[in-house]
Structure formats: C-alpha cells, structure tokens
Amino acid sequence: MNSNQDRYLALFKQRFFLDNDLIEIDGKARRIMSCVLIIGAGAAGQVTAKKCVMTPNVFSEIHVASRTYSRCQSLQRDCGGAIHIHQLDADIVEDTVALINRIKPQLVINMALPYQDLAIMTACLKTKTHYMDTANYEPKDEAKFSYSWQWAYHDRFKAINRMALLGSGFDPGVTNVFIKYAHDYLFDTITAIDIIDCNDGNHGHPFATNFNPEINIREITQDGRYYDHGEWITVPALSVNHTIDFPEVGPRKAYLLYHEELESLMTHFPTIERIRFWMTFSDTYLTHLNVLQNVGMTQIHPIDFNGQAIVPLEFLKAVLPNPASLSLNYTGKTCIGCRITGTISGKTQTKLIYNVCYHQDCHNEVQAQAVSYTTGVPAMIGAKMILNGTWSGSGVFNMEQFDAKPFMAALMEDGLPWSVIDCATPLD
Ligand code: NDP
C-alpha cells in the first residue's frame, strides 16, 4: 500500500468516530454525514471521489459507478478501499434508478459526460434525490450545448422538493461563483466580463486533450459566440484571438470561444453589457486540430468502415492519451479567472479574480493533472454546499444563484486558492 492509500484508509477509519446527527453551525442545523453517488470514474470523477474521501466530516459513504468497471476498481484501490463501486450504464434510466434505490444516496454527482445529464436527472426525479453536474446537456448527434434542456426540469425538481445544481466545475462553476462574488461584494454594478482560461502546462505528448477528447474537440470546433450590447454575435471557430496577460504566467494568445456559463450569466445578470470567454491553445495543438479536422477525424456522425458504423471522433478518442493518464510528467500551471469591469462608488474599475493551479501539486495530492483537479475539486465543494445545507432550494439552479462567500471560503481550504487584483484597463 502506498502513502496515498494509507492516507485514504486513515480518513476512512476516522469516519467511524464521527457523529451522524445534525449539528449546529452558525445557529443553523447542518447534517454532516451523507451518502453520495458519483457517476463517472474518469479524469475529473476520480479527483472528486478522492476529495470526498478526504472530507469525511461531510461524506460518510461514497459510491462510485461508471461504465467501465475496471476504472472503478483501480480508483477503489487508489482510495485504499474507502469507496464502494458499481458498474453502471447511466444512459439506462431504470438501471440508475435501481442503483439509487439500493444505496439511497442523498445526492448524485454526475461526473460522466454531458450526454448523460438528462438521463441521470430523470433517475434523480424518480428517486427524489438531489442532482449535481459539471457540464450542461449536449445531444450526442449534434455538437450543441445549452442549458434550456436542463432548465426545463425546474418545475419537476421543485415539485419533489429536491435541488439540481448545474455546472459545479471550474468553468463553468468557479467562474460563475467569482462573478457572483464580484456582483454582491466588490462592485456596485458590473458592465463587462471576460472569462480567461490558460493552461500553460506541458504534458510531453504531441497532441492530447486535458478532459474528455470528444467533448473537448466538439466544444472547440464550434463557432465562437459572445454577447455585446444587446446582441449575441457569432464568429467562425477560433477566428478571434487576443494576447492576454495572465498573472503568474505572462502574455499568452487566447481564442474567443462560446462557453456555457455565458448563457446562464446573461440570464441571471441581464444588465451586463458585454461578456466573452477566452482560452489559450498552443500553435502545436491548433496545427494538430486543423489536420484532424481537414481529414475528417473530428466528425460526429457515423461512417461506414468495412461494413461497420464508426464515429470518427469516437475512434480518435480511443487512440488519444486518456486525460487521466497525463499527470505524472505534466509540468507548468493553469490560470483561470474573470476580468470584471464595473463601477465602485461611481468610478469605473476592472478587477481580476483568478486561481493558479500547478499540475505537479495536483499529481502529488491526488495523481491528477490541474485540469481534472480544477474540475473535480469544485464538484466536491458543490456537493458539500448541498449536503451540509449551505446552499439549498427546490428546482434547477446555476452556481450564481447562491451566496458566493461560503464557496469562495471552501476553495481556499480545499486546494484552489484565489486572488483579486486590480487591472489598469478592461480588455479591448
Ligand atoms: P472522462 O472521459 O475522463 O470521464 C468520463 C467518465 O464517465 C468515464 O469514466 C466514462 O466511462 C464515464 N461514462 C461515460 N459514459 C457513461 C455512461 N453512459 N454511464 C456511466 N459512465 C459513463 O472525462 P472527464 O473526467 O475529463 O470529464 C468529465 C466531465 O467533466 C465531462 O462532462 C466534462 O465535460 C466535464 N468537465 C467540466 C469542466 C468544468 O470546468 N466545468 C472542465 C473539464 C471537464 P468509460 O471509462 O467507460 O469511458
């Protein structure tokens, strides 16, 4: 048993000495011991599971279910046996319902793929269970994501007095929380937002994606989209870029993308005049992506190959490195934040709220790279907010609909510290 497994086992044993009752925190009753079901044992799901194991005062019983059982087994070994595991195809609603009825979790954390969102939400409705995820629904046969499908479940979650929390990763997730924090505690009014995401790391492979390759490539090859003074503007994929000075990294070329939090933030803060999302890509990454696109390897519709229907992008995923395998030799860091412009006491100001995360620190802590870590940790924190009653409600919610302060405090404690700095000017 290695030292990490020892650590997880020690935390697991510690659980037996904790109390399963309600306790009082800040004058409110909080439940501190809870059973959770994590669906998806991939790159980010593994981080969430390990961070839940490391938070025994909240998560007393942790179940992980995923399509490929061997990935659950290897995660269980890594966790020193501190989790229960199950094979599950979450596309089959009845199977998820049966598993939930058997283990009776208070919350299902969906760390599978966006394709499974609606099926898992339906299973939660049928079993009266809270739901949470990190990415919004996307139909498999169309590269299009939108919250509208999941928002349509609001009344049904409300009717059963349960909560569905959408997008508790980093972006979306922490970025929404940063903006809510700025809105409630830093600015009088907010006029413009640029969400900026830089991975300045090096994994040593000629081409690899940092999260699920299929979802990643579908996102990046879509048209760019942003909101500016009353209208949504669409631009061809990766056609607009800007050199952005990332703190602790330096100036990097970032590309304008459409990203899901733009939709929810414009819905909840309709007076914002402009909102954009920027992500860095290396020239090598873009050259590989161009070639793959040009030869048809990023197509999402089936083609006939020797009498067998195969989806080129699914095949490409099978030959690319698994994002969960990248961490060992990954160097460098990520820097993700929100540049927010607004007024404070009548003066226009721009502030940047950001986190910097080092790939090797994540590897040393949970054997993951920083992109999985920055997704998996906020998922654990979102679950914690629901289970201890800090965030509560009936219906379907986005992150910016709750008080940002407790989540921001948890980021500091759970491995994603953040800073706020002043910027001389907004981005052009
Ligand atoms: P991975 O591909 O590494 O992991 C996905 C996991 O889900 C795999 O274990 C996979 O099983 C499992 N899975 C897929 N389909 C099913 C199914 N039908 N039933 C049960 N399990 C299934 O992806 P990542 O961990 O990189 O990403 C996970 C999620 O996180 C994605 O939705 C992604 O979009 C989101 N994400 C969010 C970010 C954010 O900041 N908000 C950032 C990065 C990712 P198998 O092993 O069989 O393939």
Side-chain angles (χ1 to χ4, degrees):
M1 191 173 281
N2 63 35
S3 61
N4 273 312
Q5 287 171 329
D6 274 344
R7 193 152 47 100
Y8 293 124
L9 196 59
L11 285 166
F12 182 60
K13 285 180 180 154
Q14 197 184 322
R15 289 210 184 90
F16 295 110
F17 301 102
L18 293 171
D19 192 353
N20 197 12
D21 287 338
L22 292 177
I23 56 157
E24 198 177 292
I25 302 173
D26 298 336
K28 285 187 187 162
R30 303 271 199 235
R31 187 178 52 240
I32 57 162
M33 298 293 281
S34 313
C35 174
V36 72
L37 168 61
I38 300 168
I39 300 180
Q46 292 179 26
V47 175
T48 305
K50 289 174 182 176
K51 293 297 275 194
C52 288
V53 171
M54 294 158 85
T55 315
N57 61 335
V58 177
F59 304 96
S60 60
E61 194 177 313
I62 301 157
H63 293 257
V64 176
S66 202
R67 190 172 51 188
T68 305
Y69 192 61
S70 57
R71 292 188 88 175
C72 301
Q73 289 174 307
S74 120
L75 177 60
Q76 190 182 45
R77 272 194 302 278
D78 286 350
C79 292
I83 58 169
H84 305 270
I85 55 170
H86 313 268
Q87 195 281 329
L88 175 73
D89 181 346
D91 287 324
I92 305 169
V93 174
E94 306 78 59
D95 287 1
T96 310
V97 167
L99 180 62
I100 294 174
N101 280 335
R102 191 147 57 85
I103 64 179
K104 299 199 173 9
Q106 277 95 24
L107 168 71
V108 173
I109 306 178
N110 172 12
M111 299 302 293
L113 300 179
Y115 314 134
Q116 278 79 52
D117 287 5
L118 299 186
I120 298 175
M121 287 176 88
T122 303
C124 286
L125 281 174
K126 284 177 186 273
T127 53
K128 294 194 167 60
T129 311
H130 295 303
Y131 168 89
M132 203 198 82
D133 65 30
T134 65
N136 67 5
Y137 176 68
E138 183 170 339
K140 208 164 174 44
D141 57 0
E142 193 187 359
K144 176 184 177 213
F145 50 83
S146 163
Y147 279 116
S148 55
W149 287 292
Q150 291 178 277
W151 285 341
Y153 280 61
H154 180 76
D155 289 345
R156 278 174 280 170
F157 270 90
K158 196 170 174 178
I160 61 161
N161 193 25
R162 291 295 181 277
M163 167 175 179
L165 178 63
L166 308 184
S168 191
F170 206 104
D171 43 344
V174 175
T175 48
N176 305 54
V177 172
F178 283 171
I179 290 161
K180 171 71 168 168
Y181 179 74
H183 178 271
D184 288 357
Y185 299 108
L186 300 182
F187 287 89
D188 299 325
T189 58
I190 291 181
T191 50
I193 296 170
D194 285 289
I195 301 170
I196 57 173
D197 180 330
C198 170
N199 178 6
D200 196 48
N202 180 2
H203 46 54
H205 294 268
F207 183 77
T209 64
N210 295 289
F211 64 95
N212 183 280
E214 215 182 307
I215 304 301
N216 185 236
I217 291 173
R218 283 165 67 118
E219 174 180 291
I220 293 164
T221 52
Q222 283 186 42
D223 282 345
R225 197 158 176 251
Y226 65 103
Y227 183 87
D228 195 2
H229 290 89
E231 58 177 329
W232 286 99
I233 296 166
T234 302
V235 296
L238 304 171
S239 61
V240 177
N241 65 67
H242 205 311
T243 298
I244 296 174
D245 194 7
F246 289 88
E248 301 179 40
V249 172
R252 294 288 183 275
K253 200 198 262 188
Y255 292 81
L256 189 141
L257 299 185
Y258 181 53
H259 224 242
E260 60 204 64
E261 61 265 54
L262 304 191
E263 183 187 12
S264 77
L265 288 163
M266 277 317 301
T267 302
H268 296 119
F269 302 115
T271 56
I272 293 170
E273 291 167 10
R274 187 180 71 183
I275 185 162
R276 302 177 295 190
F277 183 98
W278 304 90
M279 189 178 274
T280 60
F281 300 104
S282 69
D283 290 345
T284 314
Y285 181 97
L286 292 179
T287 305
H288 278 81
L289 188 64
N290 270 337
V291 173
L292 291 167
Q293 258 190 304
N294 289 343
V295 298
M297 281 308 295
T298 59
Q299 285 178 61
I300 62 168
H301 296 293
I303 56 158
D304 180 77
F305 179 73
N306 288 345
Q308 206 184 336
I310 61 158
V311 175
L313 184 55
E314 287 178 5
F315 179 77
L316 176 63
K317 171 183 180 265
V319 298
L320 287 177
N322 179 338
S325 71
L326 298 173
S327 69
L328 182 61
N329 298 313
Y330 217 135
T331 55
K333 53 188 173 275
T334 60
C335 173
I336 317 174
C338 301
R339 267 180 91 126
I340 301 163
T341 300
T343 55
I344 302 172
S345 305
K347 279 175 67 180
T348 299
Q349 292 196 35
T350 300
K351 290 183 184 290
L352 173 62
I353 314 178
Y354 69 96
N355 161 263
V356 169
C357 190
Y358 286 79
H359 291 286
Q360 271 313 294
D361 288 350
C362 304
H363 177 76
N364 293 338
E365 186 188 336
V366 290
Q367 302 80 55
Q369 33 90 358
V371 177
S372 311
Y373 190 88
T374 54
T375 308
V377 172
M380 182 279 287
I381 296 174
K384 184 160 69 169
M385 296 289 116
I386 297 173
L387 291 173
N388 68 16
T390 305
W391 284 2
S392 61
S394 302
V396 175
F397 299 93
N398 294 93
M399 306 288 284
E400 64 271 23
Q401 292 178 269
F402 296 100
D403 184 14
K405 260 195 182 158
F407 198 103
M408 299 284 279
L411 287 170
M412 286 293 191
E413 289 160 13
D414 291 322
L416 294 173
W418 48 272
S419 308
V420 185
I421 56 171
D422 290 319
C423 307
T425 54
L427 286 183
D428 300 340

